[in-house]
Every structure is written in structure tokens, then in C-alpha cells.
């Protein structure tokens, strides 16, 4: 059933009052991350949870009718990904305009938080650098 899902995941609004904050369908984002017919899922939960695998599984079953996981691991990330405030992109543009020539910022926290955002940002920064030396 999961393989029929289009997209790469979802974020849940706070108003939904769920124990899960977001879910990434990692194997839809990155090829060969799961066996054929399977989906590798990464769930993000609210706060400290005693049994994160159980909670994630219950939430995914309730929301999507997902079966029990075949394989699972839980990791606690105490520092979390950055949560941008409204106006972050504008502030970043204004700040970057003050940087000395040749100094560039890229990576998590500046122009996106996930791995795909960091890869995109690194590639775009490399193109800018390569274009400015030409």
C-alpha cells in the first residue's frame, strides 16, 4: 500500500493534535533505499517519547492504514532541525548581501534543513563560485 503513495512525505499542522509531526518517505526520495514493494519511512515525533517505534507505528496506521513495520530503529535528536521564523529567507538575503566577496554560506540552517536541501544549496553555491571565477 505504501508504494502507491505519491510524493515524499508530509508535515502535520499543530491543529491536528497528532503525536507525529512529520513523515518522510525516504525511499521515494532516494532510489534503492528499500526493497521492491517496500517503503522506508522516517517519522518525526513530538517531544520525548518512551516508545517512539510504537507511537510512530500507531500514528501511521491511524492516518494511512500502514501495516506494522518490518524493520525499525529509533533515534533521539535532542537539538532538532532548525525551525525557521517568518521572514527567515529575507533576513538571509540581507545578511548574505553584507558578506565580503568570496565568502558564501551553505548548509542546514541557512537555506533548508533536509539532506536534499543541503545538496541543492551546496550545488548552487558551487555554481556561483565557479561562475564568479570564470
Amino acid at each position: 500500500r505504501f508504494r502507491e503513495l505519491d510524493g515524499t512525505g508530509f508535515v502535520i499542522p499543530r491543529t491536528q493534535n497528532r503525536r507525529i509531526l512529520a513523515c518522510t518517505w525516504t525511499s521515494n526520495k532516494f532510489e534503492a533505499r528499500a526493497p521492491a514493494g517496500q517503503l522506508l519511512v522516517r517519522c518525526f515525533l513530538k517531544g520525548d517519547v518512551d516508545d517512539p517505534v510504537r507511537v510512530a507505528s500507531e500514528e501511521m496506521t491511524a492516518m494511512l492504514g500502514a501495516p506494522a513495520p518490518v524493520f525499525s530503529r529509533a533515534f533521539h535528536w535532542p537539538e532538532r532541525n532548525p525551525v525557521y521564523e517568518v521572514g527567515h529567507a529575507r533576513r538571509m538575503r540581507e545578511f548574505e548581501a553584507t558578506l565580503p566577496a568570496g565568502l558564501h554560506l551553505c548548509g542546514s540552517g541557512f537555506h533548508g534543513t533536509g539532506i536534499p536541501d543541503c545538496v541543492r544549496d551546496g550545488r548552487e553555491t558551487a555554481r556561483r563560485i565557479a561562475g564568479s571565477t570564470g
Side-chain angles (χ1 to χ4, degrees):
R1 172 170 161 112
F2 264 155
R3 287 311 255 179
E4 298 170 11
L5 298 175
D6 288 330
T8 57
F10 56 86
V11 176
I12 298 177
R14 289 182 183 147
T15 57
Q16 294 297 305
N17 199 28
R18 304 294 315 193
R19 296 174 294 172
I20 192 170
L21 297 170
C23 178
T24 299
W25 304 325
T26 305
S27 52
N28 281 6
K29 292 169 77 171
F30 303 104
E31 197 172 317
R33 295 293 170 110
Q38 305 257 339
L39 183 69
L40 176 61
V41 176
R42 184 171 61 162
C43 295
F44 300 86
L45 304 176
K46 288 182 183 177
D48 291 327
V49 177
D50 287 336
D51 189 351
V53 172
R54 180 187 54 78
V55 170
S57 182
E58 287 173 0
E59 289 288 283
M60 295 298 286
T61 298
M63 291 184 295
L64 300 173
V70 173
F71 170 81
S72 60
R73 289 285 187 266
F75 300 94
H76 180 68
W77 188 284
E79 299 299 322
R80 301 187 317 216
N81 284 338
V83 177
Y84 297 135
E85 295 178 5
V86 174
H88 174 80
R90 176 188 47 77
R91 284 192 299 279
M92 283 304 304
R93 285 190 304 275
E94 291 171 355
F95 175 71
E96 288 177 310
T98 70
L99 294 175
L103 182 60
H104 302 270
L105 295 177
C106 65
S108 181
F110 298 119
H111 306 111
T113 61
I115 292 171
D117 291 327
C118 290
V119 169
R120 176 195 43 77
D121 192 27
R123 286 179 175 159
E124 288 174 4
T125 301
R127 282 189 204 96
R128 282 195 308 276
I129 292 168
S132 67
T133 62

